[in-house]
Structure formats: C-alpha cells, structure tokens
Amino acid sequence: MIEKYDHIKIEEKWSQIWEKDNIYCTPDDATSENKYYILPQLPYPSGSGLHVGHAEVYSACDIFARYKRMKGKKVLQVIGWDAFGLPAENYAIKNNVYPKVTTNDAIDNFRYQIKRMGVSVDWDREVGSHSPEYYKWTQWFFLLMYKRGLAYRKEQQVNWCPGCKTVLANEQVVDGCCERSGDKVEQKMMEQWYLKITEYADRLYDDLDKVDWPEETIKRQRDWIGRSEGINISYEVPGLDEKIKVFTTRPDTNFGATFIVCAPDSDFIIRNVEKFSEKEKVRKYMKSVKNKTELERMQEGKKKTGVFTGLYALNMLNNKRIPIYVGDFVLASVGTGNVVGVPGHDKRDFEFAKAVGAEIVRVVVGSDGDKSEITDVKKVQEAEGTMINSDFLDGLNINEATGKIMDYLVEKGWGERITNYKLRDWSVSRQRFWGAPIPMVFDQEGKPHPVPEKDLPVLLPDDVDFIPTGQSPLTYSKDFQTGVEKKYGESWRREVDTLDTFLCSSWYYYRYLDPRNDQAFASKEALEKWMPVDFYIGGPEHVTGHLLYSRFFTKVLYDAGYITFDEPFAVHRHQGTILGEDNRKMSKRWGNVINPTDVMDRNGADTLRIYEMFMGPLSDTKPWNTKGEKGVHKFLLKVWNLQKKVSESFESREQEIEINKLIKKVGEDIEDLSFNTAVAKSMEFTNFLVVEKEVKKSVWERFLKILSPFAPYMTEELWQKGGNSDSIHKEQWPEYDKKLIIEEKIIMAVQVNGKVRDKIEISAGEGQASVQKKALAQERIKKYVEGEPKKVIFVKDKIINLIV
RNA sequence: GCCGAGGUGGCGGAACUGGUAGACGCGUCGGACUCAAAAUCCGGUGAGCCUUAAAACUCGUGAGGGUUCGAUUCCCUCCCUCGGCACCA
C-alpha cells in the first residue's frame, strides 16, 4: 500500500529542504551566452494579499524558469516589491497606521504565499522600492536625468485628482478620471517636475522594431507616442507683422483650404488678440471656453463653436483670402495650436464650416468617382483619391500630391517639414508622502539645486501627518528640513514633493542584478552579463506607462554610457485577466474572489499552478472554475497512484514510444507558452499509464522530470521516494529519440467528393497506388464509388479523396 | 467615431504550413462499490433523423457569399463581444 497523497505535508517538507539547501540560488557560472533572465512584473504588495492573477504570472514564469534550467540555462528568477504608492498611504490616513508598517506586513504575506507556491526565486536578490538602499538609486536616476537636462521644472496645466489630492501623469488618467480613486480629474496650474521623455519619442517609436513583443502592444505604444509626419505652413496675414503658422499632415488639400482656426489659448491668439477688429467677441469667447468644465465639454460632445477674429490669412497657392477664427475644437498643445480648415476633406473642419458658414471646396475625388459638391458630413472625403481643382496637383493621387506640395512649400520658404507627437513630457511630482523624496533643494531665491550624490538618499522622515491638504505632507515635517541649512546654506529648503512611483518601477530589473551594491545601481559586469531581460511577463495595462518609462530610462542610461544595449525587455508577453466563477471581474463587491491560499489549502500548490496553466492560453481572459481545479487535483492523484505500478524489470516499447512523444510535445509547448496543451498531453499520457499493468521505471522517471516544472512538490517527493537522493530539480530535461516517435501505422481518412466516408489503416509513407487499392476495396466506399473514380487527390500520410 | 483582439458543444478550451472538427478537463447521463451518502472507479455524451438497439444518413466552428477535390484555417460583405484611443489637424 502506498500512503495517501498529503499535499500539505509534502509541500511543507520540500519547502524547508529547498530553502535550507538554497537550490534556487543564481548560478555563479552564468555568462552572457548561457544566462536566462526571467522577470515577472514587480507586484504592488496590497493588503488583500496575493491574487490568482499574480499566481498565474508566477506559475508561468516558474515553469519556464525550471524548464530553462533543465535545458542547461543559467537562470535568474527574481521577485521584489513596488512598495511605495497611494493605497498604503490612503490606508494610513484612514487608520492612522504608518505605511511602512502595513506595507511590510503585506510584503511578508506576499513572500509567504509565493514561497508556498514553490516559485524558484533567488530570495537573496529580493528588493523593495521603499527601502532607503533602493530609493537612493531612484533618486540617483532623477539626478542623472537632471544632469542630462532631462528633468526640468515648469508651471503648466496639470491633471489634479481632488480625491487623492495629487497631480497625475497623463498615463494615470483614464476616461477623465483618476485611475486609482475614480475621481474626476481637474486641470490646475502648478509648478511641477517633468522628465523630457518627448526628447526620446523617435527612438521609443523606432526601436520597437528591435523587440519581440505582442504586435498589438507595439501598435498601442506607437499610437500613444502618436508620431505624425507633416508640415508647418506659414501664411501671411495682411495687416499683421507676423505670419500665422499651422501644422498639417494633409498639405495636398491646401487648395481646398477656406479658413484657419486657432485654439482660444494658442500663442498666436494670446499675442495678437488686442489687434483683432473683433477683439471683444474673441475675448468673450476665450473667457467662456475657459469657464467650461471638463464635464460641460464632454456633454457638448463634438459640437463646434467659434468666432471670427476679423483677420484674414493669404493662401499664397491660389492668392485666396481666408478668414481666421478662434474655435475650441482646436487644441493649443497640438502642433502649432492653429489648423487650416479644409472642410471638404475633414469631418471636423466640415462641421466647423457649417457652424460659421465657411465655404466648402472639393479637391479630392475618391474611388467612387463622385465629383459633386460636398453638402453633407457623409460626403466628406477623407480617404485615398485623386486631386482636382488643385492647379499643378491635379490628377495626382493624394500621396504623390502630398510629397510634391511639401517640396514646393519648402522650396518657396513657406513651409517646414515637421514631425509631431502626441506624447507629452512625464510629470513626476506627487504631493504625497509615501514615495521617494525628490532629491532637490531650493536656495533663498527659490532656485532648485540637485542634492549632491554623496548626500543620497534623501530619507523619508517619520514625523508626518498624513491628512491630505493639497500640500505635500513633507511640508509639515521638521525632521525632513533638519540640517538642510547647515549643509547647503541659509534658508535653503528641501523639495517636499515625492516622485511618481513609476520611477521606482522603471529601473527595478537592474537592481536585481546586483541588489546589495552601494556604489552603483548595479555593477557594469552584472549589467553586461544579465541584460537584457530574456523573458518578461506583465499586464497589458502597463503598455503606455511602465513599459514606455522603462524603455526611456534604458535609453538614457545608454546615452550616459552606463550600458551597451538600449532596449530592456527582449521578449515580452502579457497575462490575461482571471475572472470569478460568475464571469465577472473578481471583486469583494461580488463576493467572487478566489484566494490562492485557499486553493493551496484544499488542493495544494501543485494543483494551483497546474490549474492556472490548464485554464487556457496565458494571455486570454478566462473565468475560474473550482470544479476544474478539482479535476486537476484528480490528475495529480492519478499520477501519485501510478507509483505502485513502477517496475525496474518491466519493458514496454509502447510506453517508450509514448514517453518520447510526450517529451517532445511538452518541451515544444513550454517554448511556445502553450502550457494548457502541455498539461492536456500529460493528462492523456497519465490516462494511458493508468490502464497499463506495470510502468517501466525509466519511463516513469522521465515523466516525473517533464512534470517537475509544473508540479515541483509532488515530483520531488515521488522522485526521492523512488530511490533518488538528490533533487529532481537539478536534473536535465530528457532527450527524445526521433526514430521512436515516427508513426508506423496511420489511420487515414478516405473521402469521396470531399466527404469522409471511411477510415483505413496504412503504414507510414505508403504510396498512392496501394492506398487507393485498399480504399476502393472498402465496403463503405464501394457504395459511393462505382468503377474507377474520375480523379484522385492523394496527400501522403494525410488523406485520399476520391472524386466520382 | 477610429484602432486592435476575438466569436468553435451545456461550460473552459484543442486542431501542424487548408487535409478525420470538438483533444484534455468540467458538467451531465448510465453503471460498479455502499445499508445509504460522499469519495473513488468504469462507460456514454455536438445537434438532428430513425430507433428496441445498432448501422447508416443529414447538418454543424457568429451570419451570408466566394476560392478549392477539400475551409475553424484563405478572400469579400455584414453582425456581435471584449480591450484601447478619443476633436492629434
């Protein structure tokens, strides 16, 4: 009799042994050739503990890590904590507990759960972004940016969350609301620190060609950067001593331009409003727009409004005078803040033309050949087409015309080719406590100076009142300013804002390489050896935030000469969302939250790992099913019970063939991240062994090996029970024999007129003549085929199709 | 509105470069074990038609069309779901 499968006992036992033997430490003999760096996204240690979504990422990464190790790679697998951030601080405000305390509790809990899952992490390299040893380097990165002219202070309209009482980056505003609290985000003028990510827009856009990321992720990031190639055209404005400049990507339609519209807050308007003959109306309009709240703008939707300035611009292409308007559909921050209106070929321009009564001219004919007047929004022609009413452009298609007129405008000195971006500089100041202090000090005149590197880290003080006032809580800390005057000068003060936590997570993958280094964020040797990350799993929600920022940081490091590569993540994949059993997002509100600890309690860590992989493809959104979880447990039970059939003397060619096929299939599936089918095949194999009388020992041992990345605990137990004294996790991935997995007999479908009518057994590689003869001899085929078929389609080893 | 991903049994999902659709698991039905239940084990299970049963046949991968000996897979049109962006000129 074999003993019962007691997952609790087995898992506790091996956890301790593995930890004692430190079997998952990063190998010393790693080189840049044989290394493999696996990175699960840095988790935020929330108070509610590990989520099944985290467990999915760690399972996938760990299976991959274990597989790579067995294939001879020197694996670095690590974990750390994105420990600063708003939830801990909000909790502190409510319950008056210091964030450091709650955060460290949460980390302890996460660490315990991840260890219990059997994730083969090198715990000596654990990092937390809230430790001074870590944020010293976050501050160092800020100073590096500052030294390179990439960090600057500017007063500007910022996104302000009234709930969190802090500024947000564009990336943290979702549908006009704060992504954390859900409050409607307001616009506010504030002086803030910015990082000049826009300087890297082109490289961030182009270098996406170098990485192996999901196509849609690359596309989304490019859309976010929003590069558009166009031209700035300057038009003379009679009666004004300056020209008006507009940005357009469609200069080909310029013969159809009938007006210009400026944003109410564009530089041109602000500078010249006094000179407008209609200045009263314009001022009134500017004021009314300014008073509009975000909400009112939303409600008004796309309704176009505007007023005439009294000025005209001269379109030098056709010497037409075109009126200049002010309209709030034009955004000051885009292009030059002024647009040229071509109502026949841009819906927004059409709507504006209708609203103010401007002329509409057709200059492009689409594929439908329609040359009629454009009288309705539906007729606005924005697609490909051929130029008309456009002088020397007539007859060209719009792309040729665009090139030609750009050259012409540039040559005449009327225009300048320009690239425009949607990407804005990254606002990094936060009026919150629980973050890394910005390492700057202000002198008597309020001029900022960087804190010298030797004075880092600027420590977060303890004497802080968390009640949000809109001022950073650090403003009220005495400790924080203590000694500043002595160190830097009379009435010098520290910057009291903290850094956006996305700065902490923009470089964490470097710290793992050399986590205890106090001379550098990581040594040159470590960086050279381990980077770039070979495999990175993270959520799709970070495409335009974290992933973009990390790439930016890496490029800055590259330019500063610290590293020799300029993309951090060679391969990146996303995990999908795991829904509750009711197909809704897991939430306390719905009471449908599945807790990984409960799963491990009832069925074990191995079941948790395998079930999460078996649910479906990694990147899919998929619902949890507790019954399915049980099915996986049953599978492990079957494997467990097989141990009694293992026999050293038993021989079986069939088992030999099947295990060889399985080794091939599981290996390939892991490489493709098709963990679900790898599990399915292992189940099939188990079902096959269940009906066997005995199991050949070497087949059994190879099976345990390929199952070990998925079920590290049970396979270790069975491995050592079977007489092995060292860990199964130090074993190599078994090789398969190509000759053995070639099918000898094939069941071939016989089709008549494309419909399957029968199946015959043939030997592999059998020729057409022989197969056809067999097929025609079948009783069921005879029913359909009288005499010779008209035509026969034969694909070797696949199909025979008889056409009658 | 635009962009992206995707629609396969009762459910989660399989299916190589076009070649036996529905692997594997769940559920369900029937059986074994049991005084009984749970657990476990064995067998059936896309729909329809017919039926005591079996065989056979027909239909089936969101809808409609096309290419092909053959389409879940390729092409066109449309519908729906999810995700992203949202006056970006």
Side-chain angles (χ1 to χ4, degrees), chain A residues 45-66:
Chain A
S46 86
S48 46
L50 204 70
H51 185 273
V52 284
H54 291 114
E56 183 185 25
V57 176
Y58 303 140
S59 299
C61 280
D62 193 46
I63 289 166
F64 209 56
R66 289 173 182 275

PDB file of all heavy atoms in Angstrom, chain A residues 45-66:
ATOM      1  N   PRO A  45       2.467  45.200  -3.354  1.00  0.00           N
ATOM      2  CA  PRO A  45       2.031  44.331  -2.269  1.00  0.00           C
ATOM      3  C   PRO A  45       0.805  44.898  -1.562  1.00  0.00           C
ATOM      4  O   PRO A  45       0.928  45.647  -0.615  1.00  0.00           O
ATOM      5  CB  PRO A  45       3.241  44.296  -1.332  1.00  0.00           C
ATOM      6  CG  PRO A  45       3.983  45.558  -1.620  1.00  0.00           C
ATOM      7  CD  PRO A  45       3.673  45.978  -3.020  1.00  0.00           C
ATOM      8  N   SER A  46      -0.345  44.548  -2.047  1.00  0.00           N
ATOM      9  CA  SER A  46      -1.569  45.111  -1.483  1.00  0.00           C
ATOM     10  C   SER A  46      -1.957  44.349  -0.221  1.00  0.00           C
ATOM     11  O   SER A  46      -1.566  43.205  -0.027  1.00  0.00           O
ATOM     12  CB  SER A  46      -2.699  45.041  -2.503  1.00  0.00           C
ATOM     13  OG  SER A  46      -3.338  43.798  -2.424  1.00  0.00           O
ATOM     14  N   GLY A  47      -2.742  44.978   0.604  1.00  0.00           N
ATOM     15  CA  GLY A  47      -3.132  44.403   1.876  1.00  0.00           C
ATOM     16  C   GLY A  47      -3.985  43.154   1.731  1.00  0.00           C
ATOM     17  O   GLY A  47      -4.045  42.330   2.631  1.00  0.00           O
ATOM     18  N   SER A  48      -4.638  43.022   0.582  1.00  0.00           N
ATOM     19  CA  SER A  48      -5.531  41.868   0.421  1.00  0.00           C
ATOM     20  C   SER A  48      -4.795  40.611  -0.031  1.00  0.00           C
ATOM     21  O   SER A  48      -5.411  39.584  -0.272  1.00  0.00           O
ATOM     22  CB  SER A  48      -6.666  42.211  -0.534  1.00  0.00           C
ATOM     23  OG  SER A  48      -6.177  42.861  -1.670  1.00  0.00           O
ATOM     24  N   GLY A  49      -3.491  40.711  -0.148  1.00  0.00           N
ATOM     25  CA  GLY A  49      -2.708  39.505  -0.423  1.00  0.00           C
ATOM     26  C   GLY A  49      -2.639  39.143  -1.898  1.00  0.00           C
ATOM     27  O   GLY A  49      -3.168  39.844  -2.754  1.00  0.00           O
ATOM     28  N   LEU A  50      -1.973  38.032  -2.134  1.00  0.00           N
ATOM     29  CA  LEU A  50      -1.753  37.553  -3.494  1.00  0.00           C
ATOM     30  C   LEU A  50      -3.085  37.266  -4.177  1.00  0.00           C
ATOM     31  O   LEU A  50      -4.015  36.742  -3.578  1.00  0.00           O
ATOM     32  CB  LEU A  50      -0.928  36.264  -3.412  1.00  0.00           C
ATOM     33  CG  LEU A  50      -0.096  35.868  -4.616  1.00  0.00           C
ATOM     34  CD1 LEU A  50       1.077  36.811  -4.788  1.00  0.00           C
ATOM     35  CD2 LEU A  50       0.413  34.448  -4.435  1.00  0.00           C
ATOM     36  N   HIS A  51      -3.158  37.607  -5.443  1.00  0.00           N
ATOM     37  CA  HIS A  51      -4.352  37.412  -6.250  1.00  0.00           C
ATOM     38  C   HIS A  51      -4.067  36.247  -7.191  1.00  0.00           C
ATOM     39  O   HIS A  51      -2.914  35.977  -7.505  1.00  0.00           O
ATOM     40  CB  HIS A  51      -4.572  38.720  -7.024  1.00  0.00           C
ATOM     41  CG  HIS A  51      -5.819  38.772  -7.819  1.00  0.00           C
ATOM     42  ND1 HIS A  51      -5.897  38.299  -9.101  1.00  0.00           N
ATOM     43  CD2 HIS A  51      -7.050  39.256  -7.511  1.00  0.00           C
ATOM     44  CE1 HIS A  51      -7.131  38.489  -9.556  1.00  0.00           C
ATOM     45  NE2 HIS A  51      -7.839  39.063  -8.602  1.00  0.00           N
ATOM     46  N   VAL A  52      -5.133  35.562  -7.652  1.00  0.00           N
ATOM     47  CA  VAL A  52      -4.882  34.456  -8.586  1.00  0.00           C
ATOM     48  C   VAL A  52      -4.207  34.927  -9.875  1.00  0.00           C
ATOM     49  O   VAL A  52      -3.544  34.153 -10.550  1.00  0.00           O
ATOM     50  CB  VAL A  52      -6.162  33.655  -8.938  1.00  0.00           C
ATOM     51  CG1 VAL A  52      -6.556  32.741  -7.800  1.00  0.00           C
ATOM     52  CG2 VAL A  52      -7.291  34.570  -9.348  1.00  0.00           C
ATOM     53  N   GLY A  53      -4.378  36.228 -10.180  1.00  0.00           N
ATOM     54  CA  GLY A  53      -3.694  36.790 -11.346  1.00  0.00           C
ATOM     55  C   GLY A  53      -2.183  36.817 -11.138  1.00  0.00           C
ATOM     56  O   GLY A  53      -1.423  36.490 -12.054  1.00  0.00           O
ATOM     57  N   HIS A  54      -1.756  37.186  -9.938  1.00  0.00           N
ATOM     58  CA  HIS A  54      -0.327  37.108  -9.616  1.00  0.00           C
ATOM     59  C   HIS A  54       0.131  35.660  -9.758  1.00  0.00           C
ATOM     60  O   HIS A  54       1.173  35.375 -10.341  1.00  0.00           O
ATOM     61  CB  HIS A  54      -0.058  37.503  -8.152  1.00  0.00           C
ATOM     62  CG  HIS A  54      -0.273  38.951  -7.844  1.00  0.00           C
ATOM     63  ND1 HIS A  54      -1.261  39.377  -7.005  1.00  0.00           N
ATOM     64  CD2 HIS A  54       0.391  40.056  -8.247  1.00  0.00           C
ATOM     65  CE1 HIS A  54      -1.204  40.702  -6.902  1.00  0.00           C
ATOM     66  NE2 HIS A  54      -0.209  41.140  -7.650  1.00  0.00           N
ATOM     67  N   ALA A  55      -0.662  34.752  -9.174  1.00  0.00           N
ATOM     68  CA  ALA A  55      -0.286  33.341  -9.159  1.00  0.00           C
ATOM     69  C   ALA A  55      -0.125  32.804 -10.583  1.00  0.00           C
ATOM     70  O   ALA A  55       0.727  31.964 -10.853  1.00  0.00           O
ATOM     71  CB  ALA A  55      -1.332  32.526  -8.401  1.00  0.00           C
ATOM     72  N   GLU A  56      -0.923  33.323 -11.501  1.00  0.00           N
ATOM     73  CA  GLU A  56      -0.810  32.895 -12.893  1.00  0.00           C
ATOM     74  C   GLU A  56       0.554  33.303 -13.468  1.00  0.00           C
ATOM     75  O   GLU A  56       1.236  32.507 -14.115  1.00  0.00           O
ATOM     76  CB  GLU A  56      -1.935  33.522 -13.726  1.00  0.00           C
ATOM     77  CG  GLU A  56      -1.921  33.053 -15.174  1.00  0.00           C
ATOM     78  CD  GLU A  56      -2.951  33.762 -16.047  1.00  0.00           C
ATOM     79  OE1 GLU A  56      -3.355  34.889 -15.723  1.00  0.00           O
ATOM     80  OE2 GLU A  56      -3.345  33.179 -17.076  1.00  0.00           O
ATOM     81  N   VAL A  57       0.932  34.550 -13.204  1.00  0.00           N
ATOM     82  CA  VAL A  57       2.210  35.046 -13.718  1.00  0.00           C
ATOM     83  C   VAL A  57       3.369  34.250 -13.112  1.00  0.00           C
ATOM     84  O   VAL A  57       4.282  33.824 -13.825  1.00  0.00           O
ATOM     85  CB  VAL A  57       2.384  36.547 -13.401  1.00  0.00           C
ATOM     86  CG1 VAL A  57       3.755  37.039 -13.835  1.00  0.00           C
ATOM     87  CG2 VAL A  57       1.296  37.367 -14.068  1.00  0.00           C
ATOM     88  N   TYR A  58       3.321  34.042 -11.795  1.00  0.00           N
ATOM     89  CA  TYR A  58       4.440  33.348 -11.152  1.00  0.00           C
ATOM     90  C   TYR A  58       4.497  31.886 -11.582  1.00  0.00           C
ATOM     91  O   TYR A  58       5.589  31.322 -11.720  1.00  0.00           O
ATOM     92  CB  TYR A  58       4.355  33.480  -9.625  1.00  0.00           C
ATOM     93  CG  TYR A  58       4.325  34.917  -9.204  1.00  0.00           C
ATOM     94  CD1 TYR A  58       3.515  35.373  -8.174  1.00  0.00           C
ATOM     95  CD2 TYR A  58       5.092  35.861  -9.888  1.00  0.00           C
ATOM     96  CE1 TYR A  58       3.469  36.715  -7.825  1.00  0.00           C
ATOM     97  CE2 TYR A  58       5.043  37.203  -9.557  1.00  0.00           C
ATOM     98  CZ  TYR A  58       4.228  37.627  -8.529  1.00  0.00           C
ATOM     99  OH  TYR A  58       4.167  38.949  -8.214  1.00  0.00           O
ATOM    100  N   SER A  59       3.348  31.261 -11.787  1.00  0.00           N
ATOM    101  CA  SER A  59       3.352  29.879 -12.260  1.00  0.00           C
ATOM    102  C   SER A  59       3.997  29.795 -13.634  1.00  0.00           C
ATOM    103  O   SER A  59       4.864  28.962 -13.879  1.00  0.00           O
ATOM    104  CB  SER A  59       1.920  29.334 -12.343  1.00  0.00           C
ATOM    105  OG  SER A  59       1.312  29.353 -11.078  1.00  0.00           O
ATOM    106  N   ALA A  60       3.556  30.662 -14.525  1.00  0.00           N
ATOM    107  CA  ALA A  60       4.079  30.634 -15.892  1.00  0.00           C
ATOM    108  C   ALA A  60       5.584  30.905 -15.906  1.00  0.00           C
ATOM    109  O   ALA A  60       6.352  30.171 -16.537  1.00  0.00           O
ATOM    110  CB  ALA A  60       3.339  31.658 -16.756  1.00  0.00           C
ATOM    111  N   CYS A  61       5.992  31.944 -15.206  1.00  0.00           N
ATOM    112  CA  CYS A  61       7.413  32.280 -15.167  1.00  0.00           C
ATOM    113  C   CYS A  61       8.207  31.126 -14.568  1.00  0.00           C
ATOM    114  O   CYS A  61       9.290  30.785 -15.045  1.00  0.00           O
ATOM    115  CB  CYS A  61       7.660  33.536 -14.333  1.00  0.00           C
ATOM    116  SG  CYS A  61       7.312  35.056 -15.214  1.00  0.00           S
ATOM    117  N   ASP A  62       7.668  30.534 -13.524  1.00  0.00           N
ATOM    118  CA  ASP A  62       8.417  29.495 -12.827  1.00  0.00           C
ATOM    119  C   ASP A  62       8.535  28.222 -13.656  1.00  0.00           C
ATOM    120  O   ASP A  62       9.580  27.580 -13.668  1.00  0.00           O
ATOM    121  CB  ASP A  62       7.777  29.188 -11.482  1.00  0.00           C
ATOM    122  CG  ASP A  62       8.698  28.358 -10.607  1.00  0.00           C
ATOM    123  OD1 ASP A  62       9.891  28.716 -10.524  1.00  0.00           O
ATOM    124  OD2 ASP A  62       8.250  27.356 -10.038  1.00  0.00           O
ATOM    125  N   ILE A  63       7.477  27.854 -14.339  1.00  0.00           N
ATOM    126  CA  ILE A  63       7.542  26.683 -15.211  1.00  0.00           C
ATOM    127  C   ILE A  63       8.613  26.919 -16.272  1.00  0.00           C
ATOM    128  O   ILE A  63       9.440  26.060 -16.562  1.00  0.00           O
ATOM    129  CB  ILE A  63       6.167  26.418 -15.857  1.00  0.00           C
ATOM    130  CG1 ILE A  63       5.197  25.913 -14.793  1.00  0.00           C
ATOM    131  CG2 ILE A  63       6.285  25.415 -17.004  1.00  0.00           C
ATOM    132  CD1 ILE A  63       3.750  25.936 -15.211  1.00  0.00           C
ATOM    133  N   PHE A  64       8.579  28.110 -16.810  1.00  0.00           N
ATOM    134  CA  PHE A  64       9.547  28.472 -17.831  1.00  0.00           C
ATOM    135  C   PHE A  64      10.967  28.458 -17.263  1.00  0.00           C
ATOM    136  O   PHE A  64      11.900  27.929 -17.882  1.00  0.00           O
ATOM    137  CB  PHE A  64       9.196  29.865 -18.352  1.00  0.00           C
ATOM    138  CG  PHE A  64       9.594  30.088 -19.768  1.00  0.00           C
ATOM    139  CD1 PHE A  64       9.148  29.241 -20.771  1.00  0.00           C
ATOM    140  CD2 PHE A  64      10.425  31.144 -20.108  1.00  0.00           C
ATOM    141  CE1 PHE A  64       9.524  29.442 -22.083  1.00  0.00           C
ATOM    142  CE2 PHE A  64      10.804  31.351 -21.429  1.00  0.00           C
ATOM    143  CZ  PHE A  64      10.350  30.502 -22.409  1.00  0.00           C
ATOM    144  N   ALA A  65      11.123  29.007 -16.073  1.00  0.00           N
ATOM    145  CA  ALA A  65      12.441  29.071 -15.439  1.00  0.00           C
ATOM    146  C   ALA A  65      12.982  27.663 -15.181  1.00  0.00           C
ATOM    147  O   ALA A  65      14.149  27.359 -15.473  1.00  0.00           O
ATOM    148  CB  ALA A  65      12.352  29.846 -14.129  1.00  0.00           C
ATOM    149  N   ARG A  66      12.141  26.816 -14.637  1.00  0.00           N
ATOM    150  CA  ARG A  66      12.570  25.455 -14.325  1.00  0.00           C
ATOM    151  C   ARG A  66      12.925  24.690 -15.603  1.00  0.00           C
ATOM    152  O   ARG A  66      13.882  23.927 -15.638  1.00  0.00           O
ATOM    153  CB  ARG A  66      11.477  24.722 -13.539  1.00  0.00           C
ATOM    154  CG  ARG A  66      11.325  25.231 -12.111  1.00  0.00           C
ATOM    155  CD  ARG A  66      10.124  24.588 -11.428  1.00  0.00           C
ATOM    156  NE  ARG A  66       9.922  25.095 -10.078  1.00  0.00           N
ATOM    157  CZ  ARG A  66      10.541  24.633  -8.991  1.00  0.00           C
ATOM    158  NH1 ARG A  66      11.392  23.628  -9.098  1.00  0.00           N
ATOM    159  NH2 ARG A  66      10.318  25.169  -7.821  1.00  0.00           N
TER     160      ARG A  66
END
